[in-house]
């Protein structure tokens, strides 16, 4: 099972108003946790600032933002 790093969870949590206090699982659906299109924009800014990266436009699609795990998998290759 894909482990979601705590630093990523810390960045993600403020953008998910329906999330409980527990750790996220890779299968958690971002839309179901309250991430909307405006939230995506701010989340991307926070991710880029938090990891000091510039994410390529080609990862910015609905598949990437489907679940916590899909977003982490798209991101982790750019921060390694």
């Amino acid at each position: 099972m894909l482990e979601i790093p705590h630093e990523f969870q810390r960045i993600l949590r403020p953008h998910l108003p329906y999330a409980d206090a527990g750790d996220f699982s890779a299968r958690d659906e971002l839309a179901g946790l309250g991430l909307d299109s405006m939230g995506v924009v701010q989340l991307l800014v926070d991710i880029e600032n938090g990891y000091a990266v510039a994410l390529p436009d080609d990862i910015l699609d609905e598949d990437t933002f489907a679940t916590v795990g899909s977003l982490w998998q798209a991101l982790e290759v750019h921060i390694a």
Side-chain angles (χ1 to χ4, degrees):
M1 177 182 262
L2 181 64
E3 187 171 328
I4 308 300
H6 288 287
E7 176 64 16
F8 179 62
Q9 292 190 44
R10 185 190 63 74
I11 293 170
L12 191 58
R13 186 165 302 283
H15 302 280
L16 304 176
Y18 306 138
D20 61 24
D23 284 348
F24 295 116
S25 82
R27 293 184 301 264
D28 287 338
E29 294 181 4
L30 293 170
L33 294 173
L35 186 66
D36 59 20
S37 58
M38 292 302 292
V40 165
V41 173
Q42 186 58 50
L43 174 57
L44 286 172
V45 169
D46 288 351
I47 288 171
E48 289 184 336
N49 289 339
Y51 287 105
V53 297
L55 298 174
D57 290 342
D58 65 340
I59 71 163
L60 307 179
D61 61 27
E62 83 178 46
D63 290 337
T64 298
F65 289 91
T67 66
V68 172
S70 62
L71 180 56
W72 173 245
Q73 285 181 313
L75 173 64
E76 73 176 334
V77 299
H78 298 284
I79 62 170

